Amino acid sequence: PQTLVSFQSKSKDLSTFKELWTAHGFRTSMVTSPKPAVSVYLESCINPSGIDVSKSSDVIEGRNYLLYLLGMHPNQKDESDVEETYQSGIKSVYCLLQFCKKLRSVRESDMQDPRIVEILKDWETGLSTCTNAVASPSFIDGNKADADIHVTNLRTFASNVPEILSNLISTLMTIDHSLHKEQLIHEYDRI
C-alpha cells in the first residue's frame, strides 16, 4: 500500500514506526520495558481513531494491511482457525521449502539431478501459483470463498509433504551413499 511505502524513506526509529500506525488510525503508545517498543491499542484495531478513513482509499488499504499483519482483519478467521490453518496447511509446506532451500545451498549438484527435479517439479510449481495468489493484495480484501479455496489448496500441498520428503530423502541417499536417513530427517526437523 502506498501509505506504507511512503514511510520507507523516513528514518527507521520507533517514533517513525509509531507515526506509521497513528497515520492509519491506530491509537498507540511507547513502552520502554523490557525493550523500547510501540504498543497498539486493541480498541483502535476495531474503531479507527483520529482519522476519517472514508476519505482515503490509500489509508484504508494501508490500515487493512496492518490489521491483516496483526491477525485482526475482519476477513480473517478467529485465532484458533488461523492456528489450525497454520498447522494443517502452512507449517509442513514451509518446512519442506526451507529444507529444499538448505539442500540446494549445500548439495547443489544433487538437487539438480533429474530424479530430484522430477520429485519436486509439480509440487513446487503448484505451490508457487497458490502462494502467489495468497500474497496478492486482492486476497486480503477478497471474498471468503476464494480464501477458502486457497487454504484448501495449501492443505493439499501439505498432505503431499510426507510422501515428497520420503521420496526426496530416498533419492538423495541413492545419489550419495554417504548420506543417512536419520541425518537428513534430523536436519529437516531442525527447521
Side-chain angles (χ1 to χ4, degrees):
Q2 187 58 41
T3 56
L4 299 178
V5 173
S6 65
F7 278 89
Q8 285 182 329
S9 61
K10 296 186 177 185
S11 66
K12 307 280 188 242
D13 61 8
L14 282 179
S15 62
T16 303
F17 189 64
K18 181 181 185 296
E19 183 183 330
L20 174 123
W21 288 87
T22 304
H24 289 88
F26 294 93
R27 190 170 146 237
T28 62
S29 66
M30 299 292 278
V31 294
T32 57
S33 179
K35 289 184 176 182
V38 174
S39 175
V40 177
Y41 287 84
L42 180 61
E43 81 276 353
S44 71
C45 295
I46 299 162
N47 299 311
S49 65
I51 62 162
D52 182 3
V53 293
S54 65
K55 291 190 178 183
S56 172
S57 62
D58 285 341
V59 171
I60 292 169
E61 186 180 349
R63 180 176 173 77
N64 285 340
Y65 184 83
L66 293 170
L67 283 169
Y68 205 86
L69 290 176
L70 293 173
M72 298 193 68
H73 191 276
N75 289 352
Q76 286 177 295
K77 299 176 183 179
D78 68 36
E79 195 174 300
S80 63
D81 285 344
V82 172
E83 180 63 22
E84 191 276 328
T85 299
Y86 170 76
Q87 290 293 335
S88 67
I90 298 173
K91 182 181 178 185
S92 61
V93 169
Y94 175 78
C95 289
L96 183 57
L97 285 172
Q98 291 301 312
F99 184 60
C100 290
K101 182 179 177 181
K102 187 173 190 177
L103 285 171
R104 285 184 176 108
S105 71
V106 295
R107 306 198 66 81
E108 186 176 344
S109 63
D110 291 347
M111 293 300 287
Q112 292 175 356
D113 184 284
R115 295 170 286 183
I116 298 292
V117 171
E118 185 63 32
I119 290 168
L120 296 174
K121 179 179 62 175
D122 292 339
W123 186 80
E124 287 182 325
T125 302
L127 182 62
S128 176
T129 301
C130 182
T131 54
N132 287 341
V134 170
S136 73
S138 63
F139 179 77
I140 293 175
D141 293 321
N143 67 44
K144 184 180 178 333
D146 287 344
D148 288 344
I149 289 169
H150 295 305
V151 169
T152 300
N153 289 342
L154 277 173
R155 287 183 177 137
T156 301
F157 288 111
S159 69
N160 294 329
V161 166
E163 180 183 353
I164 291 169
L165 181 62
S166 176
N167 291 340
L168 179 63
I169 288 173
S170 297
T171 306
L172 282 169
M173 291 179 354
T174 302
I175 293 169
D176 184 347
H177 297 292
S178 69
L179 293 174
H180 300 284
K181 182 177 182 176
E182 298 78 19
Q183 170 192 17
L184 292 168
I185 289 174
H186 174 73
E187 288 302 319
Y188 176 80
D189 289 340
R190 289 182 56 204
I191 297 172

